[in-house]
Amino acid sequence: ITGLKNQDPVTVEIKLRGNFKISAARGTKFSRAWFGHVEIGPSRGRKVRFWDLAGIDEDIANEKGTDPDYVASCKMLRTTGEYFIEDVTRDRLHPNDTRRLISHCAKVDGYGCAIRIEMEGGSHTKFVEAEFLEMLAGYDVEFIKPTRSKVVRAGGYSSAVKARNVKLVTKPEGWYPHRSQIFYSEHEAFPRKGVGIHDDIVDACSGAYNYLVSEEEEPTDSQLIHTATSMSKGIEEKPWKGRWGR
């Protein structure tokens, strides 16, 4: 019970009283009814895990009587016009444990999943980036410095959710059964601020979405076959303008 006193109200109601119907005060950007659900997501598509970092673990937060941010991540896959949230994490961890978690997720996700890590400015940033690059050698890793407000960064993601283009992968052995209530509560409270209201999962999800929509699309298999067939017949084909046709 002592460890729960600094948790957000939704977490306290769930863990202490078993109230799974609780939800945070409503914001304006998201509704749980807008998210689609699939038990198994697509096997192919562009993938990224986006990390929103924080630096205080649960024990220190309890000692200080504070309610700091969480380390959160979102693994998202993009297919044509649809986005699938395959995994979500949210923890308060010591920096060393955060590194271990990021390394573990990278190994589980595989080399085909890009890794993007949000980094605030500061004199220590370059040292932290160097540590991560060494730890994640061989992976597609980049660091993102936010230049716009959280609300602006979440705008495109919110629109995709409203359009029913974002789906949650709910397989029983995955993240959904354990973190779905926290996921929905954060989203439905966004962008409200106040005691016990957090937006770390929203930040991670919007970061993943923004990365996927910012990447130029690669040609599909059918487009490549069509182009190759045309070229073999001597037909001049307009070059593909995606990542492979720069």
Side-chain angles (χ1 to χ4, degrees):
I1 295 177
T2 302
L4 287 174
K5 66 179 181 180
N6 295 313
Q7 295 274 5
D8 60 88
V10 173
T11 301
V12 172
E13 283 291 315
I14 293 173
K15 292 185 176 181
L16 189 60
R17 302 182 178 89
N19 180 8
F20 288 90
K21 296 182 179 180
I22 183 76
S23 63
R26 293 296 179 91
T28 58
K29 296 293 185 180
F30 300 95
S31 168
R32 69 183 65 200
W34 299 341
F35 288 95
H37 303 83
V38 294
E39 187 165 320
I40 300 176
S43 59
R44 299 181 63 183
R46 296 185 58 79
K47 292 183 181 182
V48 65
R49 185 182 290 271
F50 192 98
W51 290 91
D52 181 41
L53 302 183
I56 298 181
D57 65 27
E58 194 70 60
D59 292 338
I60 294 176
N62 289 334
E63 289 175 5
K64 293 184 176 181
T66 58
D67 184 31
D69 290 338
Y70 291 84
V71 175
S73 77
C74 171
K75 180 184 178 185
M76 186 180 291
L77 178 146
R78 176 187 179 183
T79 61
T80 304
E82 292 187 315
Y83 301 84
F84 296 83
I85 295 178
E86 296 188 327
D87 188 47
V88 169
T89 67
R90 192 183 88 151
D91 304 276
R92 286 194 179 119
L93 300 170
H94 184 278
N96 290 336
D97 294 325
T98 297
R99 294 184 184 92
R100 281 191 282 269
L101 176 61
I102 293 175
S103 177
H104 170 76
C105 287
K107 293 175 182 176
V108 172
D109 296 342
Y111 290 102
C113 182
I115 301 170
R116 294 297 179 266
I117 304 173
E118 183 176 303
M119 284 286 186
E120 302 289 346
S123 58
H124 67 289
T125 301
K126 293 298 181 183
F127 296 100
V128 176
E129 290 180 359
E131 287 184 5
F132 279 128
L133 288 174
E134 181 179 359
M135 179 182 72
L136 299 170
Y139 294 94
D140 175 7
V141 183
E142 289 185 11
F143 303 95
I144 308 298
K145 183 178 180 179
T147 58
R148 300 174 296 171
S149 71
K150 292 173 180 284
V151 176
V152 173
R153 298 200 305 270
Y157 171 53
S158 172
S159 296
V161 173
K162 287 180 181 178
R164 290 9 182 221
N165 290 330
V166 178
K167 295 176 172 56
L168 310 182
V169 179
T170 64
K171 55 185 177 182
E173 69 274 17
W175 69 277
Y176 185 82
H178 312 291
R179 301 189 185 95
S180 59
Q181 188 61 36
I182 296 298
F183 176 92
Y184 290 132
S185 294
E186 272 205 19
H187 278 77
E188 292 188 325
F190 188 83
R192 288 172 55 89
K193 296 180 179 180
V195 177
I197 297 178
H198 293 276
D199 54 17
D200 308 293
I201 291 177
V202 177
D203 287 347
C205 291
S206 63
Y209 174 85
N210 289 335
Y211 164 75
L212 290 173
V213 297
S214 68
E215 290 293 290
E216 293 179 274
E217 292 187 16
E218 297 173 355
T220 64
D221 290 343
S222 61
Q223 287 169 324
L224 289 173
I225 293 171
H226 174 74
T227 299
T229 303
S230 298
M231 292 176 66
S232 68
K233 295 179 179 179
I235 302 173
E236 185 176 352
E237 187 76 18
K238 184 178 180 180
W240 177 258
K241 295 300 183 180
R243 295 179 66 212
W244 295 359
R246 292 175 180 173

